[in-house]
Amino acid sequence: MKEYDIVEVIVEKEKYAKEGVHKGMQGIIRDVSTIDKKFTVHFDGGEDCVDS
């Protein structure tokens, strides 16, 4: 995945739900960290750091 790719949440996870992110939501990758294999995804209404 690369910056500005569109992604969709395909599983409901408690740690995402706590941030207001739920299954079926789409977001845009804003920052990719190759060191710890994480990326920041911007969802309408906020941001959440999601493990790749």
Side-chain angles (χ1 to χ4, degrees), residues 7-50:
V7 295
E8 182 174 340
V9 181
I10 60 171
V11 294
E12 185 73 23
K13 290 191 175 184
E14 186 176 332
K15 66 180 181 177
Y16 301 159
K18 287 179 181 179
E19 300 295 327
V21 177
H22 302 280
K23 182 178 178 180
M25 292 181 73
Q26 292 185 335
I28 300 171
I29 295 177
R30 299 299 259 172
D31 183 41
V32 178
S33 172
T34 56
I35 296 171
D36 56 7
K37 297 184 180 179
K38 292 186 178 187
F39 47 90
T40 301
V41 179
H42 177 78
F43 294 93
D44 189 38
E47 288 189 359
D48 186 39
C49 187
V50 181

